[in-house]
Amino acid sequence: MDPSRLVAGLLLAVVVGVVLGLLGGGGSTGTAVAGSFVGSALAGRLPERALRTGFGVFVLAMGAFVLSQELPRLLALAPG
């Protein structure tokens, strides 16, 4: 298998695993297995550049989500 295709498949597997985990799709092992199967199935059908761009957008969106969850708690702890 082409290394770039392998990396693209792994990126997609991570995204699918995280999404399934957020949706309550089972424990971490079950989520990882499901993500790897879905990622492997889709990796050959999607262009590598689209996968990389999509993964970058996904990471930014997840960062914004986590920040939105933690920011109120951090602001409540701030003096003043």
Side-chain angles (χ1 to χ4, degrees):
M1 178 179 247
D2 181 24
S4 63
R5 197 175 206 93
L6 180 62
V7 169
L10 289 172
L11 292 176
L12 189 58
V14 167
V15 169
V16 170
V18 170
V19 169
L20 287 176
L22 288 173
L23 296 175
S28 60
T29 303
T31 301
V33 170
S36 67
F37 281 124
V38 173
S40 296
L42 293 177
R45 296 186 176 107
L46 300 172
E48 178 186 348
R49 184 165 176 85
L51 287 173
R52 288 181 186 231
T53 301
F55 185 73
V57 169
F58 176 75
V59 168
L60 287 173
M62 288 304 301
F65 174 74
V66 170
L67 185 61
S68 74
Q69 298 293 309
E70 295 296 322
L71 197 56
R73 184 181 64 84
L74 292 174
L75 291 176
L77 295 175

